[in-house]
């Protein structure tokens, strides 16, 4: 059955990380006017929606995910007037704007937390406070053994509040207490305030953490911290999300995508099915493939495993998928899933094909359209990521590592800074990102990898993205078509078919073939029709032919991607 149509299903989303996109005033930090300057470029990609990471007022302990005022713009990014101008300029180019919504936690500098820690009437219960015990020296011990996502305990003793508060992320990001109806209605008012301003939706930060398990289980304060399985998808998640939707989004034609940690396809269905509270969810199952043993290990991921995750979501999700391979929290996609050296260009194109031909709304991250790579870090001092910094500090403190060099390989790969180096616009000083000193190192490969160079490269990565985005908007089958995985066990070739049961369309059956390897590969793909090349390299006549008509034989170059019309 073909899914019901919706604008956000047909959209391609482009994610802008404001701090690193474009600096208009030379302070080394990207800003809203900087984004406005580059909007023609963004529109030229053919994308429909911009997702903007948080631009709200924030002390920036976690790059804006620690909000101190939901209704103000972070000073370094500009003013609310700049933001209004940005919204108008986006709409003037027929694109839409989706903002980040961070309501699992605030900054500890938010007025609510300030009042809460002072125990002001009505505010104490805005956050999650526990007395906890004290140890033999009289120092507070955590009320339970929950671990923060950034390493260490999820509890912090607050002198002023005279007890401990929960922070599932940085200690400057106290978790809000969603059990309190007052906080919920304050949040809904704030959401409406932005929707009334005309935004087109929200990407909702760690939204399935808002309901904490009843009574916060004691755990064992002496054992290693335990994690996300303890506090994700809590008992009232669905209720809170339904309430939020009814009070806010349901009155608007808004798009919602929830970042959901620790979900599988069944749990996701509760959130995103046709009558569920959200339109879409980001899951992490494919992001876990190279870190099954946690953050500190880098494992080889295997293509059959990636296919199996993708195929499960593509075929079993009761709802609409998101398709992403990277974002501001993940390594660069070409460095993680492709080859950022010899086959950078070919593998970046292959990953573009992956992103734009699955069933679901594609989310592209700034810079991937020119094949930006992980950064060669010269020292730990160059890093900015609160998560990586915290983990290294804790590992040093606990003696798990003796010095940074022991952690270096993992940290340099995993650090979220890899995705956050400035956008590479041209080969001028600082890649054209800023006239000042950039807040984070510019990847030295900007002299070769930059937008200006990409604009002049015929058949380069950038033009490939543009053409494929165009093709996707022309072909309903790429948006709404059913997905069928072929060759599930093939070690290096990922092949799938998209079919649409719509008699009126010309192209209703498409085969996607990706050679995810640096080796030329011959493969026989089991499809029982003639195949005409739709997108990719020209073939010689003998290729893609089949006498028996139950398979086509292909000879694929390293990291080659092709689309065939089987209609
Ligand atoms: C997920 C965001 O994507 C990440 O950047 C942030 O650190 C955490 N949520 C906490 O807000």
């Amino acid at each position: 059955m073909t899914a019901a149509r919706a604008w956000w299903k047909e959209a391609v989303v482009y994610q802008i990380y404001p701090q690193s996109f474009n600096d208009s005033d030379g302070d080394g930090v990207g800003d809203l006017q900087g984004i406005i300057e580059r909007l023609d470029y963004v529109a030229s990609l053919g994308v429909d929606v911009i997702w903007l990471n948080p631009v709200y007022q924030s002390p920036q302990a976690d790059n804006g995910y620690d909000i101190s005022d939901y209704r103000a713009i972070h000073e370094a990014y500009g003013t609310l007037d700049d933001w209004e101008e940005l919204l108008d300029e986006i709409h003037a180019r027929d694109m839409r704007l989706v903002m980040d919504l961070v309501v699992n936690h605030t900054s500890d500098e938010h007025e609510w937390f300030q009042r809460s820690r002072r125990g002001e009437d009505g505010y104490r219960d805005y956050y999650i406070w526990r007395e906890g015990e004290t140890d033999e020296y009289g120092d507070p011990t955590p009320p339970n053994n929950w671990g923060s996502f950034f390493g260490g305990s999820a509890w912090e003793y607050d002198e002023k509040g005279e007890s401990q508060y929960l922070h599932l992320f940085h200690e400057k990001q106290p978790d809000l207490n969603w059990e309190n109806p007052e906080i919920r209605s304050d949040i809904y008012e704030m959401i409406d305030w932005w929707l009334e301003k005309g935004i087109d939706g929200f990407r909702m930060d760690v939204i399935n953490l808002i309901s904490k398990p009843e009574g916060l289980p004691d755990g064992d304060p002496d054992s290693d911290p335990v994690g996300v399985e303890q506090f994700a998808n809590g008992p009232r998640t669905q209720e809170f999300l339904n309430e939020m939707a009814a009070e806010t989004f349901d009155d608007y034609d808004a798009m919602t995508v929830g970042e959901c940690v620790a979900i599988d396809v069944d749990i996701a269905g509760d959130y995103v099915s046709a009558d569920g509270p959200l339109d879409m969810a980001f899951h992490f199952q494919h992001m876990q493939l190279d870190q099954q043993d946690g953050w500190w290990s880098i494992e080889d991921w295997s293509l059959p495993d990636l296919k199996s995750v993708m195929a499960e979501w593509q075929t079993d999700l009761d709802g609409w998928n998101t398709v992403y391979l990277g974002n501001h929290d993940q390594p660069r996609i070409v460095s993680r899933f492709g080859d950022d050296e010899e086959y950078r260009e070919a593998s970046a194109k292959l990953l573009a094909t992956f992103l734009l031909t699955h069933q679901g709304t594609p989310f592209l991250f700034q810079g991937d359209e020119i094949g930006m790579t992980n950064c060669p870090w010269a020292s730990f001092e160059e890093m900015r990521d609160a998560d990586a910094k915290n983990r290294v500090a804790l590992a040093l403190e606990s003696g798990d590592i003796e010095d940074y060099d022991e952690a270096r390989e993992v940290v340099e790969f995993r650090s979220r800074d890899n995705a956050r180096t400035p956008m590479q616009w041209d080969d001028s000083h600082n890649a054209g990102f800023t006239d000042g000193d950039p807040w984070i190192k510019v990847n030295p490969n900007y002299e070769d990898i930059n937008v200006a160079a990409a604009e002049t490269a015929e058949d380069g990565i950038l033009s490939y993205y543009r053409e494929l985005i165009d093709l996707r908007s022309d072909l309903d089958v790429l948006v709404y078509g059913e997905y069928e995985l072929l060759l599930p066990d093939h070690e290096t070739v990922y092949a799938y078919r998209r079919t649409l049961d719509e008699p009126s369309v010309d192209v209703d059956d498409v085969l996607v073939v990706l050679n995810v390897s640096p080796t030329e590969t011959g493969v026989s793909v089991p499809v029982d029709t003639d195949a005409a090349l739709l997108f990719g390299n020209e073939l010689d006549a003998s290729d893609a032919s089949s006498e028996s008509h139950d398979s086509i034989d292909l000879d694929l170059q390293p990291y080659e991607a092709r689309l065939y019309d089987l209609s």
Side-chain angles (χ1 to χ4, degrees):
M1 199 191 68
T2 309
R5 286 180 171 271
W7 66 263
W8 44 268
K9 295 180 181 172
E10 295 170 17
V12 174
V13 182
Y14 184 79
Q15 182 188 351
I16 292 185
Y17 196 69
Q19 201 159 1
S20 306
F21 196 61
N22 189 34
D23 175 21
S24 72
D25 61 6
D27 66 357
V29 177
D31 48 45
L32 300 180
Q33 286 298 335
I35 298 173
I36 294 171
E37 284 173 8
R38 302 289 186 177
L39 278 184
D40 286 338
Y41 166 75
V42 178
S44 80
L45 300 172
V47 300
D48 309 281
V49 173
I50 291 175
W51 155 25
L52 197 57
N53 285 96
V55 291
Y56 313 96
Q57 183 180 298
S58 159
Q60 304 284 325
D62 185 22
N63 290 13
Y65 282 92
D66 49 320
I67 296 170
S68 53
D69 185 345
Y70 286 107
R71 289 179 170 84
I73 298 294
H74 176 53
E75 219 185 321
Y77 293 162
T79 62
L80 208 49
D81 284 344
D82 294 322
W83 180 87
E84 301 269 6
E85 188 183 332
L86 174 65
L87 180 68
D88 290 347
E89 294 292 334
I90 289 174
H91 285 165
R93 288 166 179 77
D94 277 335
M95 296 186 289
R96 308 199 200 216
L97 176 64
V98 163
M99 298 274 281
D100 229 295
L101 178 72
V102 189
V103 290
N104 174 66
H105 44 265
T106 65
S107 163
D108 64 345
E109 296 182 29
H110 194 289
E111 185 193 340
W112 294 338
F113 189 74
Q114 297 299 324
R115 295 182 149 196
S116 183
R117 62 155 43 137
R118 288 196 295 264
E120 275 185 34
D121 255 8
Y123 281 94
R124 186 66 172 175
D125 274 352
Y126 266 45
Y127 294 84
I128 301 170
W129 295 95
R130 289 290 179 277
E131 289 307 321
E133 310 275 313
T134 45
D135 64 16
E136 50 190 315
Y137 309 105
D139 292 329
T141 56
N144 72 11
N145 63 349
W146 289 1
S148 141
F149 280 88
F150 292 167
S153 168
W155 296 94
E156 182 71 13
Y157 182 75
D158 179 63
E159 298 272 343
K160 216 177 253 154
E162 290 178 357
S163 69
Q164 309 195 40
Y165 63 88
L166 181 72
H167 62 90
L168 293 180
F169 292 88
H170 196 277
E171 64 196 52
K172 283 182 69 63
Q173 291 167 298
D175 280 53
L176 285 164
N177 176 19
W178 274 71
E179 298 294 321
N180 180 351
E182 301 281 316
I183 191 77
R184 303 209 296 277
S185 74
D186 281 355
I187 287 172
Y188 304 155
E189 253 177 52
M190 177 273 285
I191 292 175
D192 274 339
W193 191 81
W194 285 103
L195 288 167
E196 278 302 306
K197 286 196 172 294
I199 67 164
D200 304 291
F202 282 111
R203 174 269 187 190
M204 302 155 85
D205 192 58
V206 290
I207 202 65
N208 64 330
L209 294 180
I210 57 180
S211 160
K212 311 296 189 268
E214 236 168 286
L216 304 182
D218 281 347
D220 170 4
D222 294 329
S223 76
D224 285 344
V226 295
V228 62
E229 67 290 351
Q230 298 294 312
F231 37 72
N233 307 305
R236 299 183 71 189
T237 312
Q238 187 81 5
E239 176 196 336
F240 292 158
L241 291 178
N242 282 333
E243 182 183 87
M244 187 194 310
E247 300 279 332
T248 61
F249 314 119
D250 283 358
D251 297 333
Y252 300 81
D253 185 19
M255 146 184 163
T256 53
V257 50
E259 185 201 30
C260 294
V261 291
I263 51 165
D264 58 21
V265 79
D266 294 330
I267 300 174
D270 294 341
Y271 302 146
V272 304
S273 66
D275 52 2
L278 305 180
D279 292 330
M280 292 174 277
F282 290 125
H283 71 84
F284 287 83
Q285 293 194 324
H286 56 323
M287 295 291 110
Q288 303 297 344
L289 293 174
D290 62 4
Q291 50 177 329
Q292 315 243 18
D293 283 334
W295 195 90
W296 284 102
S297 78
I298 306 175
E299 291 140 50
D300 289 336
W301 59 276
S302 86
L303 187 65
D305 287 349
L306 178 63
K307 293 183 203 179
S308 133
V309 171
M310 293 307 295
E312 185 183 14
W313 283 84
Q314 293 282 296
T315 49
D316 294 351
L317 176 65
D318 178 13
W320 191 254
N321 268 293
T322 57
V323 185
Y324 79 98
L325 286 170
N327 57 36
H328 63 294
D329 290 333
Q330 304 290 339
R332 280 284 171 186
I333 64 175
V334 74
S335 301
R336 188 182 198 179
F337 295 106
D339 174 339
D340 61 7
E341 292 178 349
E342 187 175 353
Y343 294 111
R344 187 184 66 87
E345 179 156 335
S347 65
K349 290 177 179 172
L350 177 141
L351 296 172
T353 320
F354 179 108
L355 289 166
L356 291 159
T357 62
H358 275 93
Q359 189 269 353
T361 300
F363 286 76
L364 314 179
F365 181 62
Q366 67 181 41
D368 285 342
E369 76 278 14
I370 55 165
M372 280 178 62
T373 67
N374 276 1
C375 186
W377 302 100
S379 70
F380 190 51
E381 284 64 52
E382 289 182 342
M383 304 235 166
R384 301 285 176 269
D385 175 15
D387 181 18
K389 294 242 168 216
N390 202 38
R391 287 174 194 272
V392 171
L394 288 168
L396 286 168
E397 198 179 295
S398 66
D400 284 349
I401 55 171
E402 268 177 29
D403 54 31
Y404 171 62
D405 277 348
E406 262 184 69
R408 194 173 179 138
E409 192 193 345
V410 176
V411 177
E412 289 185 358
F413 176 73
R414 283 245 184 275
S415 169
R416 302 186 298 176
D417 292 325
N418 282 306
R420 299 174 182 186
T421 61
M423 182 73 185
Q424 294 163 206
W425 294 106
D426 56 42
D427 64 1
S428 68
H429 187 53
N430 290 328
F433 163 69
T434 180
D435 294 334
D437 289 333
W439 70 277
I440 189 170
K441 173 176 173 164
V442 176
N443 190 321
N445 64 20
Y446 74 91
E447 289 185 5
D448 299 319
I449 302 174
N450 62 65
V451 171
E455 290 285 8
T456 59
E458 236 179 272
D459 298 332
I461 303 167
L462 183 58
S463 53
Y464 189 93
Y465 264 93
R466 286 186 173 131
E467 284 166 28
L468 202 50
I469 290 170
D470 252 12
L471 186 73
R472 190 178 188 279
S473 54
D474 283 350
L475 296 185
D476 273 357
V477 63
L478 292 181
V479 176
Y480 292 107
E482 300 276 321
Y483 164 103
E484 181 196 356
L485 176 64
L486 308 171
L487 305 172
D489 302 321
H490 198 290
E491 293 289 331
T492 55
V493 174
Y494 183 15
Y496 46 95
R497 195 166 173 171
R498 304 287 312 278
T499 50
L500 188 67
D501 190 10
E502 281 265 357
S504 58
V505 303
D506 290 342
V507 181
D508 61 3
D509 193 347
V510 169
L511 170 69
V512 182
V513 191
L514 311 174
N515 177 18
V516 194
S517 83
T519 317
E520 195 177 326
T521 306
V523 64
S524 179
V525 186
V527 289
D528 52 6
T529 66
D530 285 334
L533 187 74
L534 187 63
F535 198 81
N537 285 342
E538 290 303 328
L539 304 175
D540 63 46
S542 62
D543 210 350
S545 68
S546 156
E547 278 170 18
S548 66
H549 276 267
D550 56 12
S551 65
I552 57 170
D553 298 327
L554 303 177
D555 188 16
L556 301 165
Q557 296 303 305
Y559 288 104
E560 191 177 352
R562 288 185 202 162
L563 266 60
Y564 289 98
D565 181 3
L566 305 180
S567 322

